[in-house]
Amino acid sequence: MAAWRERLRGLAGRFRRGGDAVPATDQRGGPVAASLRDLLADPSIPADVRESMASDFQRVERMLDRLENEELHVAVFGRVSAGKSALGNALLGRDAFAVGVLHGTTTEADAARLDEAASAGLVLIDTPGINELGGEAREKLAFEVAEVSDLVVFVADGDLTRDERDALRTLAATRRPLLLVLNKADRYGDEERDGLLARLREHAAGLVGAEDVIAVAARPSPRDVVEVDATGRERRSSEARVPDVSALRARLLAIADREGKALSAINAGLFAGRLTDQVSERIAATRREVAGGVIRQYCIAKAVAVALNPVPVADLLLAGGLDAAMVVQLGRVYGLPLTRSESGRLVAVITTQLAALMGAVWGVQLVASALKGISGGLSVVVTAAAQGALGWYATVLIGRAAEHYLVSGKSWGEHGAKRAVAGIVASLDRDSILREAREEILRRLKTSR
């Protein structure tokens, strides 16, 4: 997984720097599409992780379709009643999106191919309006659509409110190219419109380029017409006006023609990179949980075996064998199998470092073992809980140290085993571990008696 993730991120980074366009290849969608296919087919992703993240993998499939079909998805975003749906219809030249005077006409994201840009593969996505009272779910949906789109058209119908400025910054953080559109420009005179555009450019400074702040009239108000007949009588009527979105259409087509493929590839790569990180984290969390269960099983097995074994020193030898078996199991959990000899050497390295750090602890173990021999096993009840608890604690330390070694790819890292083991010891709460161990051992001893 790591290899193709780095390849994908390298491609996205190269495109962001403007060094290359997406290369035309005989494979559909180019190299980023190939990386997405690798992600979808990656056999190392466990079935439960894939199932829990099914919606994210469906997004990757949709992105792959977009790359293969050479589509550029444009999210039309903005406040309720700013005219998003009307703008989409004006760009399309047909009523593809529902338009209403009531708040919240758009309740689900909808998409339609931009007819005039069929060759460029532009696809408009109409989104629910933000800031509608009780519309938190719609706002969340709008942000999700923007995140998986290639470009966002942010629609306003006047100066930006505080919530709109916050939304604009949030969208900019997704690293999607932004266009800021002043809709309903027909309501303003030339001077007032120019002043509003200047104000919008101030708000969007650093987020949207000055050339990408554009005035449109998606659904201009009818024009009043006064006609005077031959007798001098006036007759008033209204005349529909044609939408004025030509500047925005031209800008979208220019972006699609010049950068469309690169934008799709970059955004698909960024999303897939985040998904890969999430998958890796989910797999790591699952492995940590399973590894924790393995370590606990061996803690119980060693603690009880050590506590109840009346033969001097034999309990310590038994403990060493259990540690080696535990490390073999941990290697399987992390997909890095270890032989018995490898696990034995690893346990030896860890115990050597632990002995150097905690000689007194191991001294208690030896004393308790000797007591068993002197008393012929009669002191087991006195020493069992203490010795078993120390065995439990030692198992936790060895298990966590082995886990660190495996997570690092069978390596102790640049600082070596001593520093790594010391870090494990420092990170664990010894008293709470010993308390839990004693309680569990006493419970089991009572049950066995």
Side-chain angles (χ1 to χ4, degrees):
M1 181 180 292
W4 68 259
R5 177 174 61 217
E6 291 304 317
R7 171 188 171 208
L8 186 150
R9 285 177 173 168
L11 287 166
R14 201 175 71 206
F15 298 149
R16 276 198 302 274
R17 292 191 297 271
D20 297 283
V22 176
T25 67
D26 53 359
Q27 279 197 334
R28 293 176 302 161
V32 174
S35 294
L36 296 184
R37 294 188 197 99
D38 290 343
L39 172 58
L40 292 172
D42 190 343
S44 69
I45 301 176
D48 58 337
V49 172
R50 195 178 285 277
E51 181 179 353
S52 66
M53 303 181 72
S55 62
D56 295 305
F57 280 97
Q58 288 172 0
R59 282 186 177 183
V60 173
E61 290 175 352
R62 290 195 294 270
M63 286 181 168
L64 181 57
D65 289 340
R66 284 157 52 181
L67 287 173
E68 292 177 345
N69 296 325
E70 297 186 352
E71 294 178 349
L72 180 70
H73 283 224
V74 180
V76 185
F77 199 90
R79 183 174 46 79
V80 168
S81 298
K84 303 180 308 300
S85 299
L87 179 59
N89 290 338
L91 288 168
L92 291 165
R94 56 189 172 88
D95 292 335
F97 305 114
V99 178
V101 295
L102 298 178
H103 283 187
T105 299
T106 304
T107 57
E108 296 181 356
D110 195 10
R113 183 176 289 275
L114 184 60
D115 291 342
E116 293 83 358
S119 61
L122 272 176
V123 175
L124 294 183
I125 301 173
D126 188 24
T127 67
I130 61 174
N131 289 346
E132 184 183 15
L133 183 64
E136 292 84 0
R138 297 180 184 179
E139 184 171 350
K140 179 176 181 291
L141 175 61
F143 277 100
E144 289 177 348
V145 170
E147 185 181 12
V148 296
S149 298
D150 304 311
L151 185 149
V152 178
V153 174
F154 193 103
V155 183
D157 59 0
D159 196 6
L160 295 182
T161 65
R162 177 181 298 178
D163 289 334
E164 285 176 312
R165 294 196 297 271
D166 290 343
L168 192 65
R169 284 191 289 269
T170 300
L171 288 169
T174 68
R175 292 190 280 182
R176 297 296 180 273
L178 284 168
L179 301 180
L180 178 56
V181 172
L182 173 62
N183 192 21
K184 305 178 184 178
D186 57 298
R187 296 180 177 182
Y188 308 106
D190 292 345
E191 186 175 344
E192 188 178 9
R193 184 187 63 244
D194 292 343
L196 272 174
L197 287 172
R199 185 68 174 155
L200 291 177
R201 290 186 177 105
E202 289 179 14
H203 288 315
L207 306 176
V208 181
E211 71 280 7
D212 291 326
V213 179
I214 301 167
V216 301
R219 200 181 185 190
S221 301
R223 177 186 292 110
D224 289 333
V225 178
V226 178
E227 295 179 351
V228 181
D229 62 18
T231 63
R233 283 191 298 181
E234 295 182 352
R235 185 175 61 185
R236 295 181 177 273
S237 62
S238 61
E239 181 180 90
R241 289 193 285 178
V242 176
D244 180 10
V245 295
S246 56
L248 176 60
R249 181 187 287 112
R251 185 70 181 132
L252 287 172
L253 292 175
I255 292 172
D257 184 57
R258 187 179 69 251
E259 305 170 17
K261 291 181 181 180
L263 285 176
S264 295
I266 290 169
N267 294 329
L270 291 173
F271 179 81
R274 287 194 299 274
L275 177 59
T276 301
D277 290 340
Q278 292 169 9
V279 168
S280 299
E281 290 168 6
R282 193 72 60 89
I283 292 173
T286 301
R287 285 175 170 170
R288 284 194 300 269
E289 183 178 351
V290 174
V294 169
I295 292 171
R296 181 174 177 80
Q297 289 174 359
Y298 278 90
C299 283
I300 294 171
K302 184 200 281 190
V304 173
V306 168
L308 295 180
N309 193 333
V311 181
V313 183
D315 51 1
L316 301 182
L317 295 176
L318 173 62
L322 288 173
D323 289 335
M326 175 183 66
V327 170
V328 169
Q329 286 287 96
L330 291 175
R332 292 172 183 165
V333 169
Y334 283 97
L336 295 170
L338 296 168
T339 64
R340 294 288 297 193
S341 60
E342 286 177 319
S343 66
R345 288 194 296 270
L346 179 56
V347 170
V349 170
I350 296 171
T351 52
T352 298
Q353 298 303 324
L354 288 173
L357 289 166
M358 307 170 65
V361 171
W362 307 134
V364 172
Q365 283 273 43
L366 290 171
V367 169
S369 181
L371 281 173
K372 286 183 180 180
I374 294 171
S375 60
L378 295 178
S379 64
V380 168
V381 174
V382 178
T383 63
Q387 188 182 13
L390 288 170
W392 180 304
Y393 178 53
T395 302
V396 172
L397 292 175
I398 292 170
R400 293 305 179 193
E403 194 177 12
H404 172 90
Y405 175 81
L406 292 166
V407 169
S408 301
K410 292 187 177 181
S411 169
W412 290 114
E414 59 179 319
H415 298 297
K418 181 177 180 180
R419 180 77 65 86
V421 173
I424 297 294
V425 172
S427 69
L428 296 174
D429 185 348
R430 182 185 62 186
D431 292 339
S432 65
I433 294 173
L434 291 173
R435 183 167 53 252
E436 178 191 2
R438 284 193 297 268
E439 291 173 357
E440 182 67 22
I441 293 165
L442 288 173
R443 185 182 69 80
R444 289 176 179 270
L445 287 176
K446 289 177 183 178
T447 301
S448 66
R449 292 173 61 187

